[in-house]
């Protein structure tokens, strides 16, 4: 190490922490690492819930109107153990809601963002520790509201995860349109508040609290991904939050933001109306398309760090990678209308959205080719994190290519309500982002908990997940090309789709296998948590600042003042005797 002088501020923070109570240390903690781990465990629990909801959808499509084993009689006794058509729409709504709002967004920005940002920039904590604590605890009302929706009439919201009015605005629309839908809106609002609190903290911390020598272009790509994500959240979330309050006002106070004049549903009194249902779509997608990048930009950054580490090469084209992240984020704000091609928008406006959407392929291609350039010619180590990172790249390519179909207005109008769309976003968000999340857990687990996960079982987990995942989601493309509709509980009512039942059964078997394989991950995770081999500071021989801190880091993170001399990707440098060159190691001419 260049210096072993313990920073006085770190000493003071550690002393203050040592006298804290259990509640202040582990429950209502202001330590960014504890908050990150709280986010991690909470989101992994909801990941299980979201997966089980997905199996409910797959069961109905594979064996429609048949008794669901074990839990069918418990949950659907009135229907003789069968999923009711009304509950199928609940499954579709709540599966997407849980996976997007309670898993992908909080595990990336909440768990990894909190844990990694101060460590990777050389700070002792977040800029606003109390605000950081609140960003986690504002998720708990969201947990309550989304979970409580299952115990309301209809057993959950049923207007889809997009909650389009008037279905979501009229309490008489469906069994799940009453209190459950109100809870859904309140839950989304709480998630939004949590994310906004986090985004302010992330931006301030990255801009103001970098270690000496840590310029913006010495930041790891993980931090760039988190920084741009925080900007997206700061600018896009207020729009969705405002729209949520407007929709709540329509439901509870009889306002007419999204309800047309004289609308009546299920013999209800006519609404006062005067509003525009399409307004909700504009406001919702103005946030929710940038949200797609909130769900993938941090993953892109984390995968970049993993690929460089295990290819033992510098990242190919560091600055173009940074600019491509910025380009994706900027374009992400002007393409929301491609979700609305079937809404009857002006063709000229649709053409504008179409061209802007296709332009996103350019910065995305920069990232993909730079990842391939990073791996090409490297001394590749096929560790579990590397396998998941390589999987992310290949799955992102498939998801991106299928997205080009949807960018074209005439094509999207035909395939918009088919399983081709479902295949696309599952390849981007599960086959892409979730694989990056798994890889990142394996990669940073030693830093989080001071122990190593089992590599052999990690590779078994990867191989089986990869096989079952592609068996489930790639087949959806074929269904979509055949016109198989989404959101219908029994598409086989139409004879043209009856021959696709066997394919759906194959997909469901793969989906059951994919969920079951996560038991291997869970056992490996919790076993390693207590009995895994102890990890040193830098078990992967990586260059980033976080690997120079103890494993796990104490309060204050570093037991020396980190000073940064170079970027995070100087692998194979001739100035170093090893094949890695930590950011804190002084140049040769400065060493004593």
């Amino acid at each position: 190490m260049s210096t072993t002088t313990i920073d006085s501020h770190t000493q003071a923070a550690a002393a203050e922490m040592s006298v804290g109570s259990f509640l202040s240390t582990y429950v209502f903690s202001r330590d960014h690492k504890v908050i990150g781990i709280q986010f991690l465990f909470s989101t992994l629990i909801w990941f299980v819930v979201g997966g089980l909801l997905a199996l409910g959808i797959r069961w109905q499509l594979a064996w429609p109107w048949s008794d669901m084993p074990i839990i069918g009689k418990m949950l659907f006794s009135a229907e003789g153990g069968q999923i009711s058509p009304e509950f199928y729409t609940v499954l579709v709504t709540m599966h997407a809601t849980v996976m997007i709002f309670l898993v992908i967004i909080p595990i990336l920005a909440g768990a990894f963002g909190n844990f990694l940002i101060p460590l990777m920039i050389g700070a002792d904590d977040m800029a606003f520790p109390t605000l950081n604590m609140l960003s986690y605890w504002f998720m708990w009302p969201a947990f309550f509201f989304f979970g409580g929706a299952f115990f309301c009439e209809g057993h959950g919201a049923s207007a889809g995860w997009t909650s389009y009015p008037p279905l979501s605005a009229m309490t008489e629309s469906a069994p799940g349109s009453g209190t459950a839908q109100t809870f859904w809106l309140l839950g989304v609002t709480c998630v939004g508040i949590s994310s906004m609190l986090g985004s302010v903290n992330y931006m301030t911390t990255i801009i103001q609290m970098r270690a000496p020598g840590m310029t913006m272009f010495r930041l790891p790509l993980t931090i760039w991904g988190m920084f741009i994500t925080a900007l997206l959240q700061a600018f896009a979330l207020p729009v969705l939050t405002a729209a949520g309050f407007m929709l709540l006002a329509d439901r509870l106070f009889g306002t007419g933001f999204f309800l047309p004049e004289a609308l009546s549903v299920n013999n209800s009194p006519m609404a006062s109306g005067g509003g525009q249902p399409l307004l909700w779509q504009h406001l919702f997608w103005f946030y929710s398309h940038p949200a797609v990048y909130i769900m993938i930009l941090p993953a892109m950054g984390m995968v970049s760090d993993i690929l460089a580490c295990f290819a033992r090469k510098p990242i190919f084209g560091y600055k173009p990678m940074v600019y491509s992240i910025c380009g994706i984020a900027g374009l992400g704000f002007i393409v929301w209308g491609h979700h609305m091609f079937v809404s009857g928008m002006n063709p000229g406006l649709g053409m504008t959205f179409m061209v802007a959407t296709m332009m996103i392929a350019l910065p995305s291609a920069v990232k993909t080719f730079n990842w391939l350039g990073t791996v090409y010619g490297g001394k590749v180590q096929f560790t579990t994190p590397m396998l998941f990172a390589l999987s992310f790249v290949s799955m992102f390519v498939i998801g991106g290519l299928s997205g080009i179909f949807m960018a074209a207005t005439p094509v999207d109008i035909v395939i918009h309500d088919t399983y081709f769309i479902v295949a696309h976003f599952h390849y981007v968000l599960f086959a892409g982002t979730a694989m990056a999340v798994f890889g990142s857990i394996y990669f940073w687990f030693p830093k989080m908990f001071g122990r190593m996960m089992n590599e052999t079982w990690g590779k078994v987990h990867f191989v089986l997940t990869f096989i079952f995942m592609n068996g489930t989601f790639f087949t959806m493309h074929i269904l979509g090309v055949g016109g198989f509709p989404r959101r219908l509980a029994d598409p086989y009512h139409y004879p043209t789709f009856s021959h696709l039942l066997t394919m759906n059964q194959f997909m469901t078997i793969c989906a059951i296998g994919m969920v079951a394989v996560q038991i291997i991950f869970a056992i490996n995770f919790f076993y390693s948590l207590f009995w895994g081999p102890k990890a040193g500071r830098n078990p992967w021989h990586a260059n980033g600042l976080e690997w120079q801190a103890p494993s796990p880091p104490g309060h204050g993170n570093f037991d020396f003042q980190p000073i940064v001399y170079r970027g995070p990707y100087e692998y194979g440098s001739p100035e170093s005797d090893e094949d890695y060159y930590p950011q804190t190691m002084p140049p040769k001419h400065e060493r004593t």
Side-chain angles (χ1 to χ4, degrees):
M1 295 296 175
S2 60
T3 178
T4 56
T5 303
I6 300 177
D7 181 70
S8 59
H9 179 69
T10 302
Q11 282 184 318
E16 177 187 351
M17 194 63 182
S18 66
V19 298
S21 67
F22 176 84
L23 285 177
S24 64
T25 304
Y26 297 108
V27 181
F28 299 104
S29 175
R30 296 186 298 167
D31 187 323
H32 72 97
K33 301 178 295 297
V34 176
I35 295 170
I37 292 170
Q38 287 174 327
F39 268 109
L40 179 64
F41 279 99
S42 298
T43 52
L44 289 177
I45 291 170
W46 281 103
F47 188 53
V48 174
V49 175
L52 294 177
L53 292 171
L55 291 187
I57 298 170
R58 293 304 325 157
W59 178 269
Q60 171 63 20
L61 291 174
W63 296 284
W65 316 126
S66 60
D67 294 353
M68 183 178 286
I70 303 174
I71 63 173
K73 297 293 185 183
M74 297 167 53
L75 298 179
F76 313 111
S77 58
E79 290 81 22
Q82 304 173 10
I83 295 175
S84 66
E86 294 82 5
F87 191 74
Y88 182 80
T89 61
V90 170
L91 288 173
V92 172
T93 300
M94 298 307 294
H95 163 65
T97 298
V98 167
M99 286 303 209
I100 291 170
F101 293 114
L102 299 185
V103 179
I104 297 297
I105 292 176
I107 202 171
L108 288 172
F112 288 103
N114 264 299
F115 189 87
L116 293 177
I117 287 175
L119 284 167
M120 293 184 113
I121 68 172
D124 57 359
D125 207 326
M126 287 290 182
F128 310 113
T130 302
L131 199 67
N132 202 27
M133 175 191 71
L134 292 174
S135 73
Y136 174 70
W137 285 104
F138 261 103
M139 287 297 294
W140 275 87
F143 298 157
F144 168 80
F145 286 125
F146 286 134
F150 288 110
F151 299 95
C152 299
E153 180 187 4
H155 303 296
S158 57
W161 81 274
T162 56
S163 282
Y164 285 173
L167 185 60
S168 62
M170 301 287 287
T171 57
E172 301 86 358
S173 297
S177 296
T179 306
Q181 184 64 40
T182 301
F183 276 14
W184 187 95
L185 286 165
L186 292 170
V188 169
T189 301
C190 292
V191 172
I193 293 172
S194 169
S195 296
M196 282 190 282
L197 294 176
S199 69
V200 171
N201 226 341
Y202 295 175
M203 289 186 292
T204 307
T205 303
I206 293 170
I207 293 171
Q208 296 289 343
M209 298 185 65
R210 302 189 304 276
M214 178 64 84
T215 63
M216 290 297 287
F217 282 105
R218 286 179 175 174
L219 290 174
L221 290 172
T222 295
I223 301 302
W224 272 106
M226 296 292 180
F227 181 62
I228 300 301
T229 294
L231 286 171
L232 289 174
Q233 290 175 319
F235 284 101
L237 266 168
V239 176
L240 179 66
T241 304
F245 282 125
M246 293 159 69
L247 186 53
L248 276 171
D250 279 6
R251 292 176 53 80
L252 302 178
F253 307 122
T255 56
F257 292 108
F258 305 116
L259 289 175
E261 188 70 38
L263 179 67
S264 177
V265 176
N266 288 336
N267 298 317
S268 65
M270 287 190 294
S272 57
Q276 294 289 336
L278 276 180
L279 175 61
W280 168 265
Q281 294 192 34
H282 282 289
L283 297 176
F284 180 86
W285 287 114
F286 185 82
Y287 161 76
S288 293
H289 191 78
V292 172
Y293 303 112
I294 291 170
M295 290 184 276
I296 202 165
L297 287 179
M300 289 177 169
M302 294 188 296
V303 162
S304 300
D305 282 5
I306 295 171
L307 289 176
C309 177
F310 294 113
R312 313 311 294 173
K313 277 182 61 182
I315 202 77
F316 187 91
Y318 171 83
K319 286 190 176 181
M321 291 287 268
V322 172
Y323 296 141
S324 66
I325 291 176
C326 300
I328 289 171
L331 289 169
F333 269 108
I334 61 172
V335 298
W336 77 88
H338 69 216
H339 296 275
M340 300 169 59
F341 284 153
V342 296
S343 67
M345 69 166 58
N346 182 293
L349 184 61
M351 183 71 70
T352 303
F353 282 122
M354 181 180 78
V355 173
T357 302
M358 289 183 172
M359 291 292 290
I360 292 184
L362 299 179
S364 299
V366 168
K367 301 195 76 62
T368 300
F369 287 115
N370 283 16
W371 285 324
L372 296 177
T374 301
V375 175
Y376 180 76
K379 298 178 181 179
V380 180
Q381 301 172 359
F382 290 102
T383 61
T384 302
M386 185 63 163
L387 292 173
F388 276 104
L390 292 171
S391 169
F392 168 88
V393 175
S394 58
M395 298 299 98
F396 176 72
V397 169
I398 295 174
L401 291 176
S402 65
I404 295 175
F405 288 81
M406 278 150 265
T409 309
V411 178
D412 183 72
I413 289 173
V414 175
I415 66 174
H416 187 80
D417 283 319
T418 73
Y419 256 76
F420 199 91
I421 306 295
V422 182
H424 163 70
F425 64 69
H426 277 90
Y427 259 94
V428 173
L429 293 185
F430 186 90
T433 299
M435 297 296 267
V437 166
F438 281 131
S440 299
I441 290 174
Y442 282 101
F443 186 61
W444 279 291
F445 187 93
K447 188 57 57 179
M448 289 181 174
F449 305 109
R451 296 181 181 271
M452 303 291 292
M453 293 184 72
N454 185 283
E455 273 287 299
T456 301
W457 283 110
K459 291 174 181 176
V460 171
H461 170 227
F462 164 75
V463 171
L464 293 178
T465 299
F466 186 82
I467 292 171
F468 287 129
M469 175 189 66
N470 282 283
T472 303
F473 298 134
F474 189 81
T475 317
M476 290 180 178
H477 289 103
I478 303 171
L479 289 178
V481 171
F484 193 78
R486 53 179 175 152
R487 302 192 185 100
L488 295 187
D490 186 7
Y492 315 108
H493 175 76
Y494 303 97
T496 186
F497 302 126
S498 58
H499 68 289
L500 298 174
L501 176 62
T502 305
M503 193 175 294
N504 269 297
Q505 291 172 342
F506 168 77
M507 291 166 56
T508 299
I509 292 170
C510 288
I512 293 171
M514 180 171 59
V515 172
V517 163
Q518 307 318 311
I519 297 173
I520 296 175
F521 168 76
I523 294 173
N524 192 358
F525 185 96
F526 287 106
Y527 181 87
S528 302
L529 197 62
F530 299 102
W531 299 290
K534 290 187 177 180
R537 291 189 183 226
N538 194 1
W540 305 120
H541 296 162
N543 290 340
L545 282 186
E546 76 273 26
W547 299 108
Q548 309 309 310
S551 298
H555 193 70
N557 295 339
F558 296 93
D559 51 8
F560 67 100
Q561 173 59 58
I563 299 175
V564 177
Y565 295 96
R566 64 192 60 82
Y569 302 115
E570 298 297 321
Y571 293 98
S573 171
E575 290 197 17
S576 175
D577 298 331
E578 306 287 344
D579 68 345
Y580 64 105
Y581 199 10
Q583 288 184 282
T584 56
M585 181 181 290
K588 281 187 176 180
H589 66 273
E590 292 186 16
R591 298 178 205 167
T592 57

